[in-house]
């Protein structure tokens, strides 16, 4: 595990029993429907976008349909890149799967809210991040924090 990374899984069945009788049993598998991945990236670390995207893809693969993973990767890339470029601070990314619901949060440490910018044809690829999030996510929003904000989106796409 790299510095700044933490992976947390919630298991409703509780921890395995360490008594002697359990040593002969195979380890319990965690339910796939309830898990969380947490990653951080520093302000100047543009390569972190690809690394976090890969980690989220690997985390979601056993839990989420392939088409949904592609959408998550795209939207995550947009939000994380926006946070790293426009806030001049690092980010904290959290991906959560709860049943069939996927939620991705990108936290930055700048107080300014993101602006939904409607790009024109002359803008090239600039300004399309939140437009993509608004168009592809089932729901999305911004939550202010005492220091910064969280931009989040949710998709329905977990494996049944």
């Amino acid at each position: 595990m790299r510095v700044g990374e933490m992976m947390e899984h919630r298991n409703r069945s509780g921890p395995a029993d360490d008594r002697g009788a359990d040593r002969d049993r195979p380890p319990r598998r965690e339910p796939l429907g309830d898990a969380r991945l947490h990653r951080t990236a520093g302000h100047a670390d543009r390569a972190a976008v690809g690394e976090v995207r890969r980690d989220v893809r690997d985390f979601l693969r056993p839990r989420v349909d392939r088409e949904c993973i592609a959408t998550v990767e795209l939207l995550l890339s947009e939000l994380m890149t926006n946070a790293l470029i426009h806030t001049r601070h690092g980010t904290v990314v959290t991906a959560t799967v709860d049943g069939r619901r996927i939620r991705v949060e990108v936290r930055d440490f700048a107080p300014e809210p993101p602006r939904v910018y409607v790009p024109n044809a002359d803008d090239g690829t600039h300004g399309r991040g939140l437009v993509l999030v608004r168009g592809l996510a089932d729901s999305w929003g911004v939550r202010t924090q005492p220091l910064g904000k969280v931009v989040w989106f949710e998709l329905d796409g977990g494996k049944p």
Side-chain angles (χ1 to χ4, degrees):
M1 194 173 292
R2 296 183 304 245
V3 173
E5 294 181 0
M6 178 179 74
M7 183 179 253
E8 173 188 321
H9 294 281
R10 293 177 291 170
N11 188 339
R12 294 179 193 191
S13 62
D17 191 350
D18 260 348
R19 287 177 277 181
D22 285 338
R23 289 185 193 146
D24 297 331
R25 291 184 196 163
R28 289 188 204 176
R29 291 198 173 265
E30 176 183 335
L32 291 178
D34 194 10
R36 174 174 289 161
L37 174 94
H38 185 82
R39 296 288 184 266
T40 60
H43 155 62
D45 191 4
R46 299 292 192 279
V49 175
E51 292 171 6
V52 171
R53 188 175 57 233
R54 183 195 64 237
D55 290 347
V56 168
R57 178 179 55 240
D58 291 346
F59 167 73
L60 293 176
R61 189 172 288 129
R63 299 171 174 87
V64 177
D65 297 329
R66 285 184 193 191
E67 292 173 16
C68 189
I69 292 173
T71 302
V72 169
E73 285 187 84
L74 173 64
L75 300 183
L76 168 63
S77 295
E78 294 294 336
L79 293 183
M80 194 171 169
T81 300
N82 284 349
L84 291 174
I85 290 173
H86 297 296
T87 68
R88 299 189 186 269
H89 297 280
T91 63
V92 177
V93 174
T94 305
T96 307
V97 177
D98 187 7
R100 293 186 49 83
R101 202 76 176 154
I102 300 111
R103 181 179 177 99
V104 176
E105 298 181 348
V106 178
R107 180 176 184 193
D108 65 53
F109 300 91
E112 301 82 21
R115 293 188 338 232
V116 177
Y117 172 77
V118 179
N120 62 45
D122 297 333
D123 286 338
T125 59
H126 172 72
R128 288 171 168 69
L130 287 177
V131 172
L132 286 170
V133 172
R134 184 171 55 186
L136 296 175
D138 292 325
S139 59
W140 76 281
V142 179
R143 184 178 73 242
T144 59
Q145 301 282 299
L147 180 60
K149 63 191 165 297
V150 173
V151 182
W152 59 269
F153 66 88
E154 291 184 345
L155 294 168
D156 183 26
K159 292 182 180 178

